[in-house]
Amino acid sequence: MEFVLSELCEQVLTARAGQKPLFIAGSGSKSFYGNHRPLTPQDGHCLLDMTGYRGIINYQPSELVVTARAGTPLAELEAELAARGQMLAFEPPHFGPDATVGGCVAAGLAGPRRMAAGGVRDFVLGARLLDSHGRLLAFGGEVMKNVAGYDVSRLLAGSQGIFGAIVEVSLKVLPRPMQERTLLREATQDEALDLFSQWRGRPMPVSASCWAPQADGRGQLAVRLSGAPPAVEAAAARIGGQELQDADAWWLALREQTHPFFDTSRPLWRVAVPPTAPALALAPMLIEWGGGQRWFSGQADVREVRDAAARAGGHATLFRAARSAAPADGVFHPLAPAVATLTRRLKQELDPAGLFNPGRLYPEL
């Protein structure tokens, strides 16, 4: 593996000397996400392939921490954790059989359990980063609360690789729940949002929730309960509804967007809003995370979607452009001026040569 790492460093130095960009790549399972463009012949040897640098470096089940190289298949890591009764609690989507750990962190995407467990950055303890000078920088470590100053390792979650190439990452893991049950109920969108609000105010072990529209104008509400059997059974009695038998497959389809709602031939918008936000003037929508994440599928005016999200106190991302053209200012919601300034300064500090994934997060970065 040290030979592979040495080759990656040499490739960075060569690109820097030739003033060429470097496009960091894993398996390509999330290549659709962000301001992506395919490589052209003019780009030369500009693909920094991380898939060869793989393997679990250190796993301490008793300490609830695992360290893996960026090219490690996510499925391989999750299988190792499952064998010890543990999991990545943020349920990262794969979007492909060969999804990697580095891509998981760089994309910063979380699945249905995000509402209860937290996002990717909440579980990043440390990382090693390959910078534009060909150096390996270490941030954080393998224990909680070991960082004094700015926590750069968590900054890498969702950065789309614009600050450098993630080489290794240490993640906090959690035990798998003792019991899980998923209940289904019929509800309108407003009824579902009201129920989400009620459940948030009660000490119930809700680990995931979703409302999906149906053709009759109503919809189907699903709620997953996870935890100790007495707590799960008590919450199930209070919530009511029909139990879903093949629940694991159902939540997997939602996480991997193979659920019928996600039509890959249509543009898909991800709208993040406070869970207390009322129904948005966009349809059809699928709602997750107790109301905090809402998906809109179909053609729409960019300004209309962003304005609707902003009025609700959130932001909108063109998650999949499908056949539509990406907005001129990128697929992500424009940053507030102060945040944009801070992001530019961080880019300048960590990648002064501007080598890594230019424009992937925002066109000007």
Side-chain angles (χ1 to χ4, degrees):
M1 283 298 126
E2 290 306 314
F3 175 73
V4 175
L5 186 57
S6 178
E7 282 193 332
L8 292 172
C9 294
E10 287 295 330
Q11 192 172 348
V12 169
L13 292 174
T14 301
R16 179 184 174 90
Q19 298 183 332
K20 294 195 174 200
L22 276 174
F23 299 94
I24 306 167
S27 70
S29 62
K30 300 173 186 66
S31 61
F32 65 87
Y33 183 56
N35 299 304
H36 172 71
R37 71 169 177 82
L39 293 180
T40 65
Q42 292 75 25
D43 290 321
H45 299 287
C46 297
L47 186 67
L48 192 66
D49 186 355
M50 305 298 296
T51 55
Y53 193 64
R54 57 186 289 173
I56 297 173
I57 299 171
N58 186 30
Y59 177 31
Q60 299 291 336
S62 62
E63 300 298 325
L64 299 176
V65 60
V66 62
T67 300
R69 298 184 179 98
T72 307
L74 198 52
E76 180 181 306
L77 174 60
E78 289 179 328
E80 181 67 22
L81 296 178
R84 300 297 188 95
Q86 297 180 347
M87 65 179 182
L88 296 175
F90 53 93
E91 284 186 318
H94 292 211
F95 298 134
D98 301 317
T100 62
V101 172
C104 158
V105 175
L109 300 175
R113 207 180 297 270
R114 165 69 173 82
M115 61 168 288
V120 179
R121 63 170 43 90
D122 299 309
F123 291 86
V124 175
L125 300 177
R128 293 179 76 197
L129 187 74
L130 179 57
D131 76 354
S132 57
H133 294 279
R135 301 174 302 188
L136 291 172
L137 308 180
F139 304 103
E142 294 184 325
V143 296
M144 296 295 291
K145 297 183 180 179
N146 65 346
V147 177
Y150 205 85
D151 193 349
V152 176
S153 56
R154 295 192 178 191
L155 170 74
L156 301 177
S159 67
Q160 294 284 331
I162 69 166
F163 300 126
I166 299 172
V167 174
E168 297 169 8
V169 63
S170 296
L171 298 168
K172 179 175 69 173
V173 300
L174 291 182
R176 299 182 68 84
M178 297 176 63
Q179 180 179 334
E180 287 193 326
R181 291 182 63 182
T182 294
L183 303 172
L184 299 178
R185 294 180 53 167
E186 296 293 317
T188 65
Q189 183 177 180
D190 287 337
E191 289 170 347
L193 290 173
D194 182 60
L195 286 170
F196 291 155
S197 178
Q198 293 179 35
W199 296 338
R200 285 194 303 272
R202 296 172 180 170
M204 295 194 297
V206 176
S207 64
S209 59
C210 171
W211 180 85
Q214 294 179 323
D216 59 3
R218 291 178 63 81
Q220 185 181 65
L221 187 156
V223 57
R224 183 176 65 191
L225 304 170
S226 305
V232 169
E233 297 305 323
R238 174 174 289 185
I239 291 174
Q242 178 183 359
E243 184 161 3
L244 179 63
Q245 298 302 318
D246 197 9
D248 288 345
W250 196 93
W251 291 108
L252 180 65
L254 185 67
R255 187 192 80 183
E256 298 301 320
Q257 296 188 353
T258 57
H259 184 282
F261 176 86
F262 299 100
D263 182 351
T264 56
S265 67
R266 295 157 60 89
L268 177 67
W269 286 87
R270 174 182 178 267
V271 182
V273 294
T276 54
L280 304 181
L282 300 168
M285 298 201 83
L286 181 144
I287 302 175
E288 287 190 88
W289 299 358
Q293 177 168 258
R294 308 185 189 187
W295 299 97
F296 167 65
S297 178
Q299 296 288 345
D301 179 76
V302 174
R303 182 174 297 179
E304 177 186 348
V305 178
R306 287 177 174 172
D307 286 350
R311 286 194 299 271
H315 55 85
T317 296
L318 181 56
F319 195 80
R320 289 181 189 264
R323 298 185 182 89
S324 63
D329 56 355
V331 301
F332 296 106
H333 204 107
L335 295 172
V339 178
T341 298
L342 178 60
T343 305
R344 282 194 296 270
R345 288 179 178 175
L346 287 169
K347 173 71 171 176
Q348 180 61 32
E349 287 294 324
L350 295 172
D351 180 22
L355 291 184
F356 297 105
N357 285 6
R360 184 68 187 264
L361 188 63
Y362 287 97
E364 65 273 17
L365 296 176

